[in-house]
Amino acid sequence: TMRHSPCSKSSVTLMALALATSTLTLTSNSVANAFVVHPSLPSPSPLPSSLRIHRHRRHRHRHCNTNNNSLPPSLLNQNRSPPFSPSTSPSSSSSGITSGITSGSSSSRLGLSLDLTETLTAVSSLQIPISASTTTSPLSSIASISSILSTTTIIPLLPSFLINASLFTILKSKLNTMLTPEGFYHSLALGTLLWHTLGWQGWTTCVMYLLLGQLVTKVKFEEKEKMGIAEGRGGRRGPENVWGSAATGLLCAAASLQIHPSILTATAATTPSSFLGISYDLLILGYVSSLATKLADTFASEIGKAYGKTTFLITSFERVEPGTEGAVSAEGTAAAAVGGSLLPMYALGIGLLNGGWVAVGIATFAAFMATNAESWIGAVLQGKKGFEWMTNEVVNFLNTVI
């Protein structure tokens, strides 16, 4: 039919132009909101009769009747205003298309021009306005998630709390095997502050300490329990363990917040590049080293009690029973070196720690030396008369400070 009927070709062309124009109209809105229909919008106006293609009309146009009597009345009125005004025209190209079609001597082309005009007007009336205040773009939701996981901006305190509350709720059954009920809520507070100050990188570094420390505590736990040298409460951590292990790291994280790179970028002219003379990278190194120190101490203690064959006091090298305060062993000392290197390597891998392997070496060395210093403090001060306040948690805190 299209091969022998030019009017049918024109009708198909009209429909193609109408679809193209509607596509251009819709894509003028944002991609994310193009197909959202607000329920308060009025129903679109009905399509003109020119779009209702019936079989009898198609046959009528096949002969391309050019009598003036068949022309629509609107074309007989020479003073009729243009079909498009600047406020209703779908695009400037629509008028060009209309004028190109109407610039022929054939009245059939004039009829087709009217059909196209009515079609474009109808398409223009179908345009759906979108209110940005009543819709939410999926892209904006993704952007919100990306901002929460950002490593270049400070995460507000409320989103940090909501993230931790959600994660702690999901993992509550597992966390209850590692934390006491009080330790659970204290860890929630610690996690919120860490996400607020150091983002997900600092948060996961602390979580890695908890997981690895819990794992090494369970090594030969039943045997250590029979010997009376196992951790109390089945190895679960309470509030005193949470803050004794992480208070120093949290102080470093809070200090780094004062000179966060995002603040320096926004107010470079007025914000100092150091806090109390300590640079941002050095504060992050202190944060990682403090947790690495506590993990090295846990490795040395738990592996030494489980596998240490010969234990002796670090001050006098006198042989003592495993589990004695200030006691060290070759196995535990080697485990301290290994355990002290794990968190720095993890922090380097996720981009929290700057300085490359030099920073990893510094943090590992600091953790190893502080662990031995903690053994010395335990042998000299802990449990001695006048130092009853020197509990294991206080020693842990001093250990991380060193």
Side-chain angles (χ1 to χ4, degrees):
T1 303
M2 292 181 61
R3 196 164 49 239
H4 301 288
S5 178
C7 291
S8 296
K9 292 181 181 180
S10 300
S11 299
V12 174
T13 303
L14 285 177
M15 294 304 298
L17 289 172
L19 291 174
T21 307
S22 63
T23 303
L24 292 173
T25 304
L26 288 174
T27 54
S28 63
N29 297 317
S30 63
V31 174
N33 295 329
F35 299 103
V36 180
V37 180
H38 197 276
S40 64
L41 293 176
S43 301
S45 58
L47 295 177
S49 58
S50 59
L51 288 180
R52 303 170 188 168
I53 301 176
H54 300 286
R55 179 180 178 86
H56 70 276
R57 183 170 180 179
R58 186 181 65 199
H59 287 287
R60 180 169 58 85
H61 278 289
R62 181 178 298 178
H63 301 287
C64 297
N65 190 355
T66 58
N67 295 330
N68 288 339
N69 293 335
S70 64
L71 293 177
S74 57
L75 288 184
L76 299 178
N77 185 2
Q78 299 298 326
N79 296 325
R80 184 185 178 184
S81 59
F84 295 104
S85 63
S87 61
T88 60
S89 175
S91 64
S92 59
S93 61
S94 301
S95 299
I97 296 173
T98 304
S99 61
I101 296 178
T102 57
S103 61
S105 58
S106 171
S107 60
S108 63
R109 293 186 180 181
L110 292 175
L112 294 177
S113 172
L114 177 62
D115 288 346
L116 179 59
T117 298
E118 294 177 351
T119 299
L120 296 180
T121 303
V123 170
S124 177
S125 68
L126 291 175
Q127 184 174 350
I128 303 173
I130 302 299
S131 175
S133 62
T134 59
T135 59
T136 302
S137 171
L139 298 180
S140 63
S141 300
I142 296 175
S144 300
I145 297 175
S146 300
S147 65
I148 293 175
L149 299 177
S150 173
T151 59
T152 58
T153 59
I154 299 174
I155 310 301
L157 197 58
L158 180 58
S160 300
F161 169 74
L162 295 177
I163 294 170
N164 278 269
S166 301
L167 293 174
F168 272 62
T169 301
I170 295 172
L171 302 174
K172 186 175 182 179
S173 60
K174 179 63 177 178
L175 292 174
N176 284 337
T177 64
M178 298 186 289
L179 301 166
T180 65
E182 296 81 6
F184 178 89
Y185 293 105
H186 282 257
S187 296
L188 173 61
L190 173 64
T192 299
L193 294 174
L194 288 179
W195 201 299
H196 172 59
T197 53
L198 296 179
W200 68 268
Q201 295 169 310
W203 187 88
T204 55
T205 301
C206 188
V207 170
M208 286 295 294
Y209 155 72
L210 176 62
L211 294 177
L212 292 173
Q214 183 70 12
L215 182 65
V216 74
T217 299
K218 294 298 183 180
V219 173
K220 290 190 175 183
F221 187 82
E222 293 181 356
E223 296 181 14
K224 290 184 287 188
E225 199 170 32
K226 292 178 182 178
M227 297 171 60
I229 58 176
E231 289 289 328
R233 297 173 303 201
R236 294 188 301 168
R237 268 65 173 174
E240 69 281 2
N241 303 116
V242 172
W243 299 115
S245 302
T248 302
L250 182 60
L251 291 175
C252 292
S256 71
L257 190 64
Q258 310 305 315
I259 51 175
H260 193 275
S262 63
I263 300 178
L264 293 177
T265 302
T267 59
T270 58
T271 304
S273 58
S274 63
F275 181 76
L276 299 178
I278 306 175
S279 67
Y280 179 82
D281 288 343
L282 197 56
L283 288 170
I284 299 300
L285 179 60
Y287 170 77
V288 174
S289 298
S290 68
L291 293 179
T293 297
K294 191 62 191 75
L295 186 61
D297 174 57
T298 304
F299 265 66
S301 176
E302 298 300 331
I303 297 299
K305 288 186 289 187
Y307 297 101
K309 297 179 180 179
T310 303
T311 56
F312 50 89
L313 284 178
I314 194 172
T315 54
S316 62
F317 295 100
E318 177 185 355
R319 292 190 63 173
V320 293
E321 292 295 326
T324 304
E325 293 296 339
V328 295
S329 65
E331 294 82 1
T333 302
V338 174
S341 66
L342 297 179
L343 287 184
M345 288 191 294
Y346 173 79
L348 178 66
I350 63 175
L352 175 64
L353 185 63
N354 294 324
W357 290 103
V358 174
V360 172
I362 293 174
T364 303
F365 178 77
F368 181 79
M369 296 301 296
T371 298
N372 286 279
E374 188 262 357
S375 298
W376 185 88
I377 293 174
V380 174
L381 301 177
Q382 193 170 3
K384 301 298 189 291
K385 186 177 180 179
F387 291 93
E388 289 79 10
W389 55 270
M390 187 70 72
T391 62
N392 193 50
E393 288 70 35
V394 174
V395 174
N396 287 336
F397 174 73
L398 295 176
N399 182 25
T400 58
V401 170
I402 294 172

